[in-house]
Amino acid sequence: MNNYELMVIFTPVLSEEDFKAAQKKYSDLLTENGGELVYSNPWGLKSLAYPIQKKTTGIYWVMEYKAPSDFNEKLKIQLLRDESVLRHMFTVLDKYAVEYNAKKRSGVPTGTEKVEG
């Protein structure tokens, strides 16, 4: 199994329940196909850098997971069919990225924090 990170931008017209249902839909798809959810982080409503389908905001969601290598193709098909998804992006995480994300989630300094002063 490999480590991946998925970022999805949903249409901003989704209700809170629809957003949670969409997250559950993709999390369930992951577990049904032998994957493991490591971390789910709903970022919420954010401005887009440029309009997509005439929308200037989107609801962001980031999911870190472990899955067999053929799972991403199945997930990609589902994301492309879903009309509430504006954009999505998969990232393969190497061991350093997995370690960095784990440290960041646990609050351990990662060395990339901003220095105030």
Side-chain angles (χ1 to χ4, degrees):
M1 289 220 281
N2 297 319
N3 295 296
Y4 299 99
E5 187 173 85
L6 169 69
M7 174 177 275
V8 182
I9 304 174
F10 292 99
T11 182
V13 297
L14 285 182
S15 67
E16 187 69 26
E17 294 84 30
D18 291 339
F19 180 51
K20 287 181 181 177
Q23 292 176 51
K24 181 169 177 21
K25 173 183 165 185
Y26 293 112
S27 298
D28 290 347
L29 181 68
L30 171 69
T31 54
E32 289 167 6
N33 285 281
E36 177 188 340
L37 178 65
V38 175
Y39 187 67
S40 175
N41 187 7
W43 286 7
L45 188 66
K46 302 275 183 191
S47 294
L48 300 174
Y50 54 88
I52 301 172
Q53 298 174 6
K54 297 182 181 178
K55 294 175 178 62
T56 57
T57 57
I59 302 173
Y60 283 69
W61 177 52
V62 177
M63 175 174 78
E64 186 179 336
Y65 61 98
K66 296 178 182 178
S69 57
D70 63 337
F71 171 71
N72 282 344
E73 198 59 37
K74 295 175 189 171
L75 182 57
K76 179 182 173 183
I77 291 169
Q78 295 300 317
L79 288 165
L80 290 173
R81 287 181 178 164
D82 193 339
E83 292 181 0
S84 65
V85 174
L86 296 177
R87 292 285 190 272
H88 70 275
M89 182 177 78
F90 299 101
T91 305
V92 179
L93 300 177
D94 61 10
K95 65 180 183 181
Y96 303 109
V98 171
E99 182 180 328
Y100 175 83
N101 285 346
K103 279 183 179 177
K104 193 171 178 183
R105 280 194 301 271
S106 65
V108 175
T110 58
T112 60
E113 293 82 13
K114 291 182 180 176
V115 177
E116 295 183 26

mmCIF file of all heavy atoms in Angstrom, residues 71-100:
data_model
loop_
_atom_site.group_PDB
_atom_site.id
_atom_site.type_symbol
_atom_site.label_atom_id
_atom_site.label_comp_id
_atom_site.label_asym_id
_atom_site.label_seq_id
_atom_site.Cartn_x
_atom_site.Cartn_y
_atom_site.Cartn_z
ATOM 1 N N PHE A 71 -6.348 1.783 -6.620
ATOM 2 C CA PHE A 71 -7.516 2.469 -6.057
ATOM 3 C C PHE A 71 -7.695 3.877 -6.614
ATOM 4 O O PHE A 71 -8.829 4.321 -6.833
ATOM 5 C CB PHE A 71 -7.414 2.530 -4.528
ATOM 6 C CG PHE A 71 -8.468 3.398 -3.916
ATOM 7 C CD1 PHE A 71 -9.794 3.003 -3.903
ATOM 8 C CD2 PHE A 71 -8.148 4.637 -3.368
ATOM 9 C CE1 PHE A 71 -10.779 3.802 -3.367
ATOM 10 C CE2 PHE A 71 -9.115 5.451 -2.828
ATOM 11 C CZ PHE A 71 -10.436 5.033 -2.826
ATOM 12 N N ASN A 72 -6.608 4.590 -6.858
ATOM 13 C CA ASN A 72 -6.726 5.977 -7.299
ATOM 14 C C ASN A 72 -7.482 6.107 -8.620
ATOM 15 O O ASN A 72 -8.170 7.100 -8.843
ATOM 16 C CB ASN A 72 -5.358 6.623 -7.413
ATOM 17 C CG ASN A 72 -4.821 7.027 -6.070
ATOM 18 O OD1 ASN A 72 -5.566 7.089 -5.101
ATOM 19 N ND2 ASN A 72 -3.536 7.271 -5.993
ATOM 20 N N GLU A 73 -7.367 5.118 -9.480
ATOM 21 C CA GLU A 73 -8.099 5.183 -10.746
ATOM 22 C C GLU A 73 -9.605 5.075 -10.505
ATOM 23 O O GLU A 73 -10.393 5.793 -11.116
ATOM 24 C CB GLU A 73 -7.614 4.073 -11.688
ATOM 25 C CG GLU A 73 -7.967 4.290 -13.124
ATOM 26 C CD GLU A 73 -7.402 5.591 -13.706
ATOM 27 O OE1 GLU A 73 -6.276 5.989 -13.366
ATOM 28 O OE2 GLU A 73 -8.131 6.214 -14.502
ATOM 29 N N LYS A 74 -10.008 4.199 -9.588
ATOM 30 C CA LYS A 74 -11.426 4.068 -9.227
ATOM 31 C C LYS A 74 -11.938 5.361 -8.598
ATOM 32 O O LYS A 74 -13.039 5.826 -8.900
ATOM 33 C CB LYS A 74 -11.628 2.914 -8.245
ATOM 34 C CG LYS A 74 -11.309 1.561 -8.797
ATOM 35 C CD LYS A 74 -11.412 0.503 -7.706
ATOM 36 C CE LYS A 74 -10.879 -0.817 -8.206
ATOM 37 N NZ LYS A 74 -10.762 -1.804 -7.130
ATOM 38 N N LEU A 75 -11.126 5.923 -7.712
ATOM 39 C CA LEU A 75 -11.522 7.163 -7.043
ATOM 40 C C LEU A 75 -11.611 8.307 -8.045
ATOM 41 O O LEU A 75 -12.540 9.124 -7.991
ATOM 42 C CB LEU A 75 -10.513 7.494 -5.939
ATOM 43 C CG LEU A 75 -10.779 8.725 -5.090
ATOM 44 C CD1 LEU A 75 -12.139 8.635 -4.415
ATOM 45 C CD2 LEU A 75 -9.683 8.883 -4.050
ATOM 46 N N LYS A 76 -10.689 8.343 -8.984
ATOM 47 C CA LYS A 76 -10.696 9.397 -10.003
ATOM 48 C C LYS A 76 -11.979 9.354 -10.833
ATOM 49 O O LYS A 76 -12.589 10.400 -11.099
ATOM 50 C CB LYS A 76 -9.482 9.233 -10.914
ATOM 51 C CG LYS A 76 -9.389 10.249 -12.010
ATOM 52 C CD LYS A 76 -8.177 9.975 -12.882
ATOM 53 C CE LYS A 76 -8.152 10.871 -14.092
ATOM 54 N NZ LYS A 76 -7.017 10.539 -14.972
ATOM 55 N N ILE A 77 -12.412 8.165 -11.199
ATOM 56 C CA ILE A 77 -13.649 8.024 -11.980
ATOM 57 C C ILE A 77 -14.835 8.559 -11.182
ATOM 58 O O ILE A 77 -15.678 9.293 -11.704
ATOM 59 C CB ILE A 77 -13.860 6.550 -12.385
ATOM 60 C CG1 ILE A 77 -12.798 6.147 -13.405
ATOM 61 C CG2 ILE A 77 -15.258 6.319 -12.931
ATOM 62 C CD1 ILE A 77 -12.736 4.661 -13.688
ATOM 63 N N GLN A 78 -14.891 8.210 -9.891
ATOM 64 C CA GLN A 78 -15.997 8.688 -9.057
ATOM 65 C C GLN A 78 -15.961 10.209 -8.899
ATOM 66 O O GLN A 78 -17.009 10.867 -8.923
ATOM 67 C CB GLN A 78 -15.954 8.025 -7.672
ATOM 68 C CG GLN A 78 -16.193 6.539 -7.714
ATOM 69 C CD GLN A 78 -17.558 6.197 -8.301
ATOM 70 O OE1 GLN A 78 -18.561 6.825 -7.980
ATOM 71 N NE2 GLN A 78 -17.581 5.223 -9.186
ATOM 72 N N LEU A 79 -14.775 10.764 -8.740
ATOM 73 C CA LEU A 79 -14.663 12.222 -8.580
ATOM 74 C C LEU A 79 -15.049 12.951 -9.865
ATOM 75 O O LEU A 79 -15.683 14.013 -9.817
ATOM 76 C CB LEU A 79 -13.237 12.600 -8.173
ATOM 77 C CG LEU A 79 -12.844 12.230 -6.745
ATOM 78 C CD1 LEU A 79 -11.338 12.307 -6.574
ATOM 79 C CD2 LEU A 79 -13.546 13.131 -5.748
ATOM 80 N N LEU A 80 -14.683 12.400 -11.010
ATOM 81 C CA LEU A 80 -15.019 13.044 -12.276
ATOM 82 C C LEU A 80 -16.513 12.975 -12.570
ATOM 83 O O LEU A 80 -17.077 13.848 -13.228
ATOM 84 C CB LEU A 80 -14.229 12.417 -13.422
ATOM 85 C CG LEU A 80 -12.725 12.711 -13.419
ATOM 86 C CD1 LEU A 80 -12.019 11.894 -14.499
ATOM 87 C CD2 LEU A 80 -12.455 14.191 -13.610
ATOM 88 N N ARG A 81 -17.174 11.934 -12.081
ATOM 89 C CA ARG A 81 -18.624 11.794 -12.275
ATOM 90 C C ARG A 81 -19.432 12.682 -11.337
ATOM 91 O O ARG A 81 -20.583 12.972 -11.596
ATOM 92 C CB ARG A 81 -19.038 10.342 -12.055
ATOM 93 C CG ARG A 81 -18.632 9.429 -13.151
ATOM 94 C CD ARG A 81 -19.105 8.040 -12.864
ATOM 95 N NE ARG A 81 -18.761 7.142 -13.949
ATOM 96 C CZ ARG A 81 -18.775 5.840 -13.856
ATOM 97 N NH1 ARG A 81 -19.142 5.255 -12.732
ATOM 98 N NH2 ARG A 81 -18.439 5.090 -14.891
ATOM 99 N N ASP A 82 -18.843 13.072 -10.219
ATOM 100 C CA ASP A 82 -19.545 13.837 -9.193
ATOM 101 C C ASP A 82 -19.633 15.307 -9.615
ATOM 102 O O ASP A 82 -18.620 15.989 -9.747
ATOM 103 C CB ASP A 82 -18.785 13.708 -7.874
ATOM 104 C CG ASP A 82 -19.587 14.210 -6.696
ATOM 105 O OD1 ASP A 82 -20.535 15.000 -6.905
ATOM 106 O OD2 ASP A 82 -19.265 13.811 -5.572
ATOM 107 N N GLU A 83 -20.851 15.789 -9.797
ATOM 108 C CA GLU A 83 -21.052 17.175 -10.243
ATOM 109 C C GLU A 83 -20.742 18.196 -9.156
ATOM 110 O O GLU A 83 -20.593 19.379 -9.453
ATOM 111 C CB GLU A 83 -22.479 17.363 -10.741
ATOM 112 C CG GLU A 83 -22.762 16.607 -12.016
ATOM 113 C CD GLU A 83 -24.172 16.829 -12.517
ATOM 114 O OE1 GLU A 83 -24.939 17.564 -11.878
ATOM 115 O OE2 GLU A 83 -24.497 16.239 -13.555
ATOM 116 N N SER A 84 -20.657 17.768 -7.898
ATOM 117 C CA SER A 84 -20.358 18.714 -6.824
ATOM 118 C C SER A 84 -18.854 18.953 -6.671
ATOM 119 O O SER A 84 -18.453 19.814 -5.909
ATOM 120 C CB SER A 84 -20.934 18.217 -5.498
ATOM 121 O OG SER A 84 -20.297 17.025 -5.100
ATOM 122 N N VAL A 85 -18.031 18.201 -7.417
ATOM 123 C CA VAL A 85 -16.577 18.369 -7.347
ATOM 124 C C VAL A 85 -16.122 19.317 -8.453
ATOM 125 O O VAL A 85 -16.353 19.071 -9.638
ATOM 126 C CB VAL A 85 -15.864 17.003 -7.474
ATOM 127 C CG1 VAL A 85 -14.355 17.195 -7.557
ATOM 128 C CG2 VAL A 85 -16.227 16.100 -6.311
ATOM 129 N N LEU A 86 -15.484 20.418 -8.040
ATOM 130 C CA LEU A 86 -14.944 21.368 -9.024
ATOM 131 C C LEU A 86 -13.573 20.924 -9.507
ATOM 132 O O LEU A 86 -13.279 20.956 -10.693
ATOM 133 C CB LEU A 86 -14.831 22.770 -8.410
ATOM 134 C CG LEU A 86 -16.127 23.440 -7.991
ATOM 135 C CD1 LEU A 86 -15.827 24.788 -7.336
ATOM 136 C CD2 LEU A 86 -17.056 23.625 -9.170
ATOM 137 N N ARG A 87 -12.706 20.523 -8.570
ATOM 138 C CA ARG A 87 -11.353 20.075 -8.895
ATOM 139 C C ARG A 87 -10.913 19.043 -7.857
ATOM 140 O O ARG A 87 -11.399 19.037 -6.724
ATOM 141 C CB ARG A 87 -10.351 21.240 -8.851
ATOM 142 C CG ARG A 87 -10.528 22.283 -9.926
ATOM 143 C CD ARG A 87 -10.025 21.771 -11.255
ATOM 144 N NE ARG A 87 -9.951 22.802 -12.250
ATOM 145 C CZ ARG A 87 -10.928 23.168 -13.047
ATOM 146 N NH1 ARG A 87 -12.109 22.605 -12.944
ATOM 147 N NH2 ARG A 87 -10.753 24.110 -13.956
ATOM 148 N N HIS A 88 -9.957 18.205 -8.252
ATOM 149 C CA HIS A 88 -9.347 17.288 -7.308
ATOM 150 C C HIS A 88 -7.895 17.074 -7.708
ATOM 151 O O HIS A 88 -7.523 17.310 -8.868
ATOM 152 C CB HIS A 88 -10.093 15.955 -7.238
ATOM 153 C CG HIS A 88 -9.931 15.127 -8.475
ATOM 154 N ND1 HIS A 88 -10.727 15.284 -9.579
ATOM 155 C CD2 HIS A 88 -9.049 14.165 -8.787
ATOM 156 C CE1 HIS A 88 -10.359 14.431 -10.511
ATOM 157 N NE2 HIS A 88 -9.335 13.736 -10.064
ATOM 158 N N MET A 89 -7.085 16.654 -6.728
ATOM 159 C CA MET A 89 -5.680 16.403 -7.006
ATOM 160 C C MET A 89 -5.156 15.329 -6.055
ATOM 161 O O MET A 89 -5.380 15.401 -4.846
ATOM 162 C CB MET A 89 -4.869 17.680 -6.809
ATOM 163 C CG MET A 89 -3.395 17.513 -7.118
ATOM 164 S SD MET A 89 -2.467 19.026 -6.955
ATOM 165 C CE MET A 89 -2.279 19.145 -5.194
ATOM 166 N N PHE A 90 -4.492 14.327 -6.611
ATOM 167 C CA PHE A 90 -3.835 13.294 -5.822
ATOM 168 C C PHE A 90 -2.359 13.663 -5.692
ATOM 169 O O PHE A 90 -1.754 14.146 -6.633
ATOM 170 C CB PHE A 90 -3.883 11.933 -6.514
ATOM 171 C CG PHE A 90 -5.255 11.409 -6.746
ATOM 172 C CD1 PHE A 90 -5.849 11.510 -7.989
ATOM 173 C CD2 PHE A 90 -5.952 10.802 -5.724
ATOM 174 C CE1 PHE A 90 -7.111 11.025 -8.209
ATOM 175 C CE2 PHE A 90 -7.217 10.310 -5.935
ATOM 176 C CZ PHE A 90 -7.799 10.412 -7.187
ATOM 177 N N THR A 91 -1.794 13.359 -4.531
ATOM 178 C CA THR A 91 -0.362 13.513 -4.339
ATOM 179 C C THR A 91 0.159 12.237 -3.695
ATOM 180 O O THR A 91 -0.410 11.759 -2.707
ATOM 181 C CB THR A 91 -0.061 14.704 -3.412
ATOM 182 O OG1 THR A 91 -0.673 15.870 -3.937
ATOM 183 C CG2 THR A 91 1.431 14.934 -3.298
ATOM 184 N N VAL A 92 1.215 11.668 -4.255
ATOM 185 C CA VAL A 92 1.868 10.517 -3.644
ATOM 186 C C VAL A 92 2.793 11.047 -2.564
ATOM 187 O O VAL A 92 3.589 11.955 -2.812
ATOM 188 C CB VAL A 92 2.671 9.715 -4.688
ATOM 189 C CG1 VAL A 92 3.363 8.537 -4.025
ATOM 190 C CG2 VAL A 92 1.768 9.244 -5.814
ATOM 191 N N LEU A 93 2.647 10.499 -1.355
ATOM 192 C CA LEU A 93 3.466 10.956 -0.236
ATOM 193 C C LEU A 93 4.633 10.000 -0.035
ATOM 194 O O LEU A 93 4.440 8.795 0.089
ATOM 195 C CB LEU A 93 2.626 11.019 1.042
ATOM 196 C CG LEU A 93 1.414 11.949 1.013
ATOM 197 C CD1 LEU A 93 0.658 11.845 2.329
ATOM 198 C CD2 LEU A 93 1.830 13.372 0.755
ATOM 199 N N ASP A 94 5.835 10.545 0.018
ATOM 200 C CA ASP A 94 6.990 9.708 0.347
ATOM 201 C C ASP A 94 7.107 9.625 1.869
ATOM 202 O O ASP A 94 6.317 10.221 2.605
ATOM 203 C CB ASP A 94 8.263 10.243 -0.299
ATOM 204 C CG ASP A 94 8.635 11.637 0.153
ATOM 205 O OD1 ASP A 94 8.017 12.149 1.118
ATOM 206 O OD2 ASP A 94 9.537 12.231 -0.447
ATOM 207 N N LYS A 95 8.090 8.889 2.367
ATOM 208 C CA LYS A 95 8.199 8.676 3.816
ATOM 209 C C LYS A 95 8.438 9.983 4.562
ATOM 210 O O LYS A 95 8.009 10.137 5.703
ATOM 211 C CB LYS A 95 9.288 7.661 4.137
ATOM 212 C CG LYS A 95 10.685 8.111 3.783
ATOM 213 C CD LYS A 95 11.712 7.066 4.136
ATOM 214 C CE LYS A 95 13.103 7.573 3.825
ATOM 215 N NZ LYS A 95 14.126 6.582 4.120
ATOM 216 N N TYR A 96 9.095 10.939 3.930
ATOM 217 C CA TYR A 96 9.347 12.220 4.585
ATOM 218 C C TYR A 96 8.063 13.039 4.717
ATOM 219 O O TYR A 96 7.840 13.702 5.729
ATOM 220 C CB TYR A 96 10.410 13.014 3.811
ATOM 221 C CG TYR A 96 11.702 12.255 3.661
ATOM 222 C CD1 TYR A 96 12.098 11.740 2.437
ATOM 223 C CD2 TYR A 96 12.514 12.019 4.768
ATOM 224 C CE1 TYR A 96 13.271 11.022 2.301
ATOM 225 C CE2 TYR A 96 13.691 11.293 4.653
ATOM 226 C CZ TYR A 96 14.066 10.801 3.416
ATOM 227 O OH TYR A 96 15.210 10.080 3.297
ATOM 228 N N ALA A 97 7.223 12.987 3.708
ATOM 229 C CA ALA A 97 5.948 13.709 3.759
ATOM 230 C C ALA A 97 5.024 13.093 4.801
ATOM 231 O O ALA A 97 4.330 13.814 5.530
ATOM 232 C CB ALA A 97 5.287 13.707 2.387
ATOM 233 N N VAL A 98 5.008 11.766 4.895
ATOM 234 C CA VAL A 98 4.181 11.093 5.897
ATOM 235 C C VAL A 98 4.652 11.476 7.296
ATOM 236 O O VAL A 98 3.850 11.804 8.171
ATOM 237 C CB VAL A 98 4.233 9.561 5.693
ATOM 238 C CG1 VAL A 98 3.571 8.839 6.853
ATOM 239 C CG2 VAL A 98 3.595 9.180 4.369
ATOM 240 N N GLU A 99 5.978 11.487 7.497
ATOM 241 C CA GLU A 99 6.538 11.854 8.794
ATOM 242 C C GLU A 99 6.228 13.317 9.120
ATOM 243 O O GLU A 99 5.852 13.649 10.239
ATOM 244 C CB GLU A 99 8.049 11.628 8.754
ATOM 245 C CG GLU A 99 8.763 11.933 10.048
ATOM 246 C CD GLU A 99 10.268 11.694 9.930
ATOM 247 O OE1 GLU A 99 10.678 10.792 9.162
ATOM 248 O OE2 GLU A 99 11.016 12.419 10.589
ATOM 249 N N TYR A 100 6.356 14.190 8.132
ATOM 250 C CA TYR A 100 6.081 15.616 8.328
ATOM 251 C C TYR A 100 4.616 15.829 8.721
ATOM 252 O O TYR A 100 4.324 16.572 9.662
ATOM 253 C CB TYR A 100 6.402 16.390 7.046
ATOM 254 C CG TYR A 100 6.037 17.848 7.106
ATOM 255 C CD1 TYR A 100 6.883 18.771 7.689
ATOM 256 C CD2 TYR A 100 4.823 18.298 6.597
ATOM 257 C CE1 TYR A 100 6.544 20.110 7.759
ATOM 258 C CE2 TYR A 100 4.463 19.632 6.662
ATOM 259 C CZ TYR A 100 5.333 20.532 7.238
ATOM 260 O OH TYR A 100 4.984 21.846 7.322
#
